[in-house]
């Protein structure tokens, strides 16, 4: 049985964290503090964890939030937190490795992804907690799988929020977004100890941007 080990608050929302689910930290809060939901947005919260971003979106103006994680304990944790914050009626939950389980017709106004972005050793992805942060030898294993997939699930005017570290090639991510038809900028950043900065990247269709 996986009981809550800690309660975390963000604004007026509360989140119970269980022992197989990564606790929100500076990276989660950087996205949350810069999150703008337009009325009627359909939102995908990828790598939902305890559900902090999806639940925040659902508590604002989102029409619908799909919370996705490969970790079954994260899905259960998010379901419980959605009920705890009274937003369960406009949320759905899906276990999936990135976007692989989504229907081809699933399109979103906003896709949020606090990616596993830290350089890691192979054994560090053997636990559910490890998979929440471990990004492979150069920290890019998951990011480089995500970027080619994301535009297929984005509405023409849709946006992507991707969180990553300065340790794992910020400019390379911006370049890769461009290669797949998305323009990308750094929307916000936060400096951490030990010479690391976390960056919030916002990406949007190049064709949409060229018409605005």
């Amino acid at each position: 049985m996986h009981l809550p080990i800690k309660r975390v608050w963000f604004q007026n929302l509360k989140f119970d964290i269980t022992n197989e689910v990564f606790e929100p930290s500076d990276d989660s809060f950087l996205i949350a503090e810069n999150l703008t939901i337009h009325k009627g947005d359909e939102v995908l919260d990828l790598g939902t964890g305890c559900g902090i971003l999806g639940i925040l979106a659902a508590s604002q103006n989102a029409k619908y939030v799909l919370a996705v994680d490969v970790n079954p304990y994260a899905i259960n944790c998010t379901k419980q937190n959605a009920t705890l914050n009274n937003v369960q009626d406009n949320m759905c939950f899906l276990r999936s490795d990135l976007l692989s389980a989504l229907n081809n017709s699933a399109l979103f106004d906003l896709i949020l992804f606090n990616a596993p972005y830290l350089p890691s050793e192979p054994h560090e992805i053997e636990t559910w907690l490890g998979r929440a942060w471990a990004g492979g030898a150069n920290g890019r294993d998951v990011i480089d799988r995500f970027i080619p997939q994301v535009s297929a699930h984005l509405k023409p005017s849709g946006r992507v929020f991707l969180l990553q570290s300065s340790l794992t090639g910020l400019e390379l991510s911006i370049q890769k977004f461009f290669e797949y038809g998305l323009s990308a900028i750094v929307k916000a950043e936060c400096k951490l100890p030990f010479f690391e900065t976390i960056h919030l990247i916002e990406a949007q269709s190049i064709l949409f941007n060229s018409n605005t």
Side-chain angles (χ1 to χ4, degrees), residues 34-36 159 161 185-189 199-202:
N34 287 276
L35 189 59
T36 301
R159 300 169 292 151
F161 278 11
I185 61 170
V186 176
K187 185 176 179 67
E189 61 184 29
H199 298 281
L200 175 57
I201 301 172
E202 181 178 17

Side-chain angles (χ1 to χ4, degrees), residues 37-108:
I37 304 297
H38 302 136
K39 186 175 181 179
D41 273 355
E42 296 181 330
V43 178
L44 170 62
D45 178 21
L46 187 60
T48 189
C50 72
I52 181 171
L53 300 178
I55 290 168
L56 180 60
S59 72
Q60 296 181 5
N61 296 308
K63 175 183 177 182
Y64 164 85
V65 176
L66 176 61
V68 174
D69 207 296
V70 70
N71 179 353
Y73 302 107
I75 294 297
N76 289 336
C77 184
T78 298
K79 287 180 180 179
Q80 294 169 14
N81 285 326
T83 300
L84 189 64
N85 290 282
N86 299 311
V87 296
Q88 67 275 15
D89 289 344
N90 63 332
M91 292 188 70
C92 291
F93 312 91
L94 177 68
R95 186 184 177 197
S96 176
D97 178 15
L98 292 181
L99 306 171
S100 61
L102 269 66
N103 189 293
N104 290 338
S105 63
L107 300 176
F108 300 90

Side-chain angles (χ1 to χ4, degrees), residues 13-188:
L13 301 173
K14 50 189 177 291
F15 303 90
D16 287 342
I17 316 299
T18 58
N19 57 4
E20 295 281 1
V21 178
F22 200 76
E23 180 181 337
S25 188
D26 292 328
D27 46 10
S28 305
F29 299 133
L30 183 63
I31 302 179
E33 289 163 359
N34 287 276
L35 189 59
T36 301
I37 304 297
H38 302 136
K39 186 175 181 179
D41 273 355
E42 296 181 330
V43 178
L44 170 62
D45 178 21
L46 187 60
T48 189
C50 72
I52 181 171
L53 300 178
I55 290 168
L56 180 60
S59 72
Q60 296 181 5
N61 296 308
K63 175 183 177 182
Y64 164 85
V65 176
L66 176 61
V68 174
D69 207 296
V70 70
N71 179 353
Y73 302 107
I75 294 297
N76 289 336
C77 184
T78 298
K79 287 180 180 179
Q80 294 169 14
N81 285 326
T83 300
L84 189 64
N85 290 282
N86 299 311
V87 296
Q88 67 275 15
D89 289 344
N90 63 332
M91 292 188 70
C92 291
F93 312 91
L94 177 68
R95 186 184 177 197
S96 176
D97 178 15
L98 292 181
L99 306 171
S100 61
L102 269 66
N103 189 293
N104 290 338
S105 63
L107 300 176
F108 300 90
D109 298 287
L110 178 61
I111 296 176
L112 308 169
F113 190 26
N114 184 358
Y117 55 71
L118 290 177
S120 61
E121 299 294 332
H123 71 273
E124 290 174 306
I125 64 168
E126 293 175 0
T127 66
W128 292 120
L129 283 179
R131 293 185 70 164
W133 60 264
N138 61 3
R140 296 197 57 89
D141 285 3
V142 180
I143 292 171
D144 286 343
R145 290 174 55 215
F146 167 73
I147 293 177
Q149 299 178 23
V150 69
S151 60
H153 293 283
L154 201 63
K155 293 182 182 181
S157 60
R159 300 169 292 151
V160 179
F161 278 11
L162 173 67
L163 199 291
Q164 75 163 80
S165 168
S166 57
L167 302 176
T168 50
L170 172 66
E171 293 302 324
L172 180 56
S173 292
I174 291 174
Q175 176 188 330
K176 284 184 174 292
F177 272 122
F178 182 79
E179 291 172 0
Y180 288 93
L182 301 171
S183 63
I185 61 170
V186 176
K187 185 176 179 67

